[in-house]
Amino acid sequence: MMSVLIAGAVALVVAMAGTPLFIRLLVAKNYGQFIRQDGPTAHFTKRGTPTMGGVVIIGATLLGYTISNMVSGRLPNASGLLLLFLMVGMGLIGFLDDYIKISRQRSLGLDERSKLIGQAVIGITFAVLALQFENENYRTPASTQISFIRDTGIDLAWAGAGLGLVLFVLWANFLITAWSNAVNLTDGLDGLATGASMFVFGAYTVITIWQSNQSCQYLAEPGPGCYEVRDPRDLAIVTAAIVGACFGFLWWNTSPAQIFMGDTGSLALGGALAGLSILTRTEFLAVILGGLFVIIVMSDVIQIGFFKMTGKRVFRMAPLHHHFELKGWGEVTIVVRFWIIAALCVALGLGLFYAEWVSVAPA
């Protein structure tokens, strides 16, 4: 437990102290955000605000994880390293996207094809490696089974190992692309995505600690309620570091934001969320825990689909938070109310997680 606390505390301090230094660097280089012309007019005042703050979130997470392991004298495990690889890889794609926007003085970065190719390369590498590194208990970081709160028994390898690997790679890439884009869409108001991410990764810190305490690998008498997750304690250290990094960054990102996380941060956090859902065997539970992200994505899907079919709009503007902006809600009001929704989704998800354990654990 101490290693988890150290990771969160170190990441918090690094992000809190490092963000203003990074802001000065970005201001000196004139690396400011560009605003889409078809967005809410109130956003035009944010033009020039430093972006790419995700660099701080990623850096603080890596330092929190590394220092925690050094202080506690433990070696990193495959699951934690794979999750960090996915987070950094997706963050790198976001960084390139942000840099193109800044260097070319426009609100559009990487084209969709290049972004999807980059996500596919990172996602395929993660998925393939996640089925390797079998430990002494014959467990790999990921499983080819579809999972809800734990593996469901629906196995993608039903038709053979080769086809199972292909199906798992496709499934993992779908999750990675979906979650990274979901967090990216949510990052439209000061502090919205950062605060919502804190709730979700905080929930995953609780889940991974619980999975560690109820691990089938370490219990003297494993029962039906134990978890088959390979490295839950290592994942808890990573999630705690992400929470601390987001917490420290939020100090500077809250309205009026002095810095934006940019695609660097949103793609990294979305990738980390997808990776966690796979490595903790909670792929569909993540849909509930990250319910706010799902709602915002669906608002965009509904808007586009309805407009193509009828030529009319359901919302004044999508994603959903912009709809409420155009209705006259203040930015802080929207952010706080959406945080409340995020917290309720997390509470529901944790409640289901615990209820499932109670239902299967021996009395």
Side-chain angles (χ1 to χ4, degrees):
M1 186 64 181
M2 184 57 67
S3 57
V4 176
L5 294 175
I6 291 172
V10 170
L12 169 61
V13 172
V14 170
M16 183 79 77
T19 302
L21 299 178
F22 192 60
I23 291 173
R24 293 177 191 172
L25 174 64
L26 294 173
V27 170
K29 292 183 174 293
N30 198 30
Y31 286 177
Q33 178 71 38
F34 286 85
I35 306 299
R36 50 187 283 197
Q37 295 300 312
D38 59 343
T41 56
H43 286 208
F44 293 155
T45 59
K46 300 181 180 184
R47 182 182 176 91
T49 301
T51 187
M52 295 194 294
V55 170
V56 176
I57 296 175
I58 296 170
T61 299
L62 292 174
L63 280 173
Y65 177 78
T66 302
I67 292 175
S68 173
N69 284 325
M70 291 174 61
V71 171
S72 59
R74 64 187 303 279
L75 294 175
N77 294 126
S79 298
L81 293 176
L82 279 171
L83 183 59
L84 290 173
F85 162 77
L86 183 58
M87 182 181 186
V88 173
M90 296 300 293
L92 178 59
I93 296 170
F95 179 84
L96 293 174
D97 192 44
D98 288 332
Y99 184 76
I100 290 173
K101 292 175 185 176
I102 293 168
S103 61
R104 297 184 181 178
Q105 301 285 301
R106 66 183 193 185
S107 61
L108 298 175
L110 280 174
D111 61 82
E112 286 300 316
R113 183 167 177 267
S114 298
K115 188 179 290 187
L116 287 173
I117 290 173
Q119 289 176 332
V121 170
I122 299 299
I124 291 170
T125 304
F126 168 82
V128 172
L129 292 177
L131 293 178
Q132 313 304 317
F133 305 108
E134 192 176 79
N135 67 3
E136 66 278 6
N137 296 309
Y138 309 105
R139 290 173 175 82
T140 55
S143 164
T144 55
Q145 293 189 42
I146 301 295
S147 60
F148 177 37
I149 293 176
R150 59 182 83 226
D151 286 341
T152 61
I154 302 173
D155 200 333
L156 296 172
W158 62 273
L163 180 59
L165 175 61
V166 172
L167 292 176
F168 174 74
V169 167
L170 292 174
W171 172 240
N173 273 266
F174 167 74
L175 293 176
I176 292 166
T177 302
W179 280 116
S180 59
N181 288 332
V183 178
N184 184 248
L185 283 173
T186 306
D187 184 33
L189 299 178
D190 296 352
L192 177 56
T194 310
S197 296
M198 282 173 50
F199 284 115
V200 178
F201 286 105
Y204 265 114
T205 302
V206 173
I207 287 171
T208 48
I209 290 174
W210 185 267
Q211 289 177 333
S212 179
N213 292 336
Q214 303 292 330
S215 174
C216 298
Q217 303 175 82
Y218 309 125
L219 289 175
E221 297 181 7
C226 67
Y227 298 94
E228 297 288 350
V229 178
R230 185 191 191 277
D231 306 306
R233 181 52 57 92
D234 211 47
L235 294 174
I237 294 172
V238 177
T239 56
I242 294 175
V243 172
C246 287
F247 205 110
F249 182 75
L250 184 61
W251 183 271
W252 307 99
N253 180 234
T254 192
S255 183
Q258 298 180 49
I259 186 172
F260 301 137
M261 70 166 67
D263 285 6
T264 308
S266 60
L267 295 187
L269 291 173
L273 177 52
L276 268 172
S277 73
I278 294 168
L279 299 176
T280 59
R281 319 290 173 85
T282 57
E283 291 158 357
F284 279 100
L285 181 64
V287 175
I288 299 172
L289 293 170
L292 176 66
F293 299 130
V294 176
I295 291 169
I296 288 176
V297 166
M298 290 309 299
S299 72
D300 209 46
V301 172
I302 291 169
Q303 181 85 325
I304 294 172
F306 194 78
F307 184 79
K308 286 184 176 180
M309 289 189 297
T310 67
K312 299 180 181 179
R313 293 178 172 84
V314 177
F315 308 106
R316 296 189 180 187
M317 185 177 179
L320 189 59
H321 41 276
H322 294 322
H323 167 77
F324 290 107
E325 273 192 292
L326 295 182
K327 285 192 68 175
W329 288 23
E331 182 172 10
V332 174
T333 300
I334 299 169
V335 169
V336 172
R337 288 177 177 173
F338 276 40
W339 282 353
I340 293 172
I341 295 172
L344 290 173
C345 291
V346 162
L348 176 59
L350 288 176
L352 289 173
F353 177 83
Y354 181 69
E356 189 273 345
W357 180 82
V358 170
S359 68
V360 300

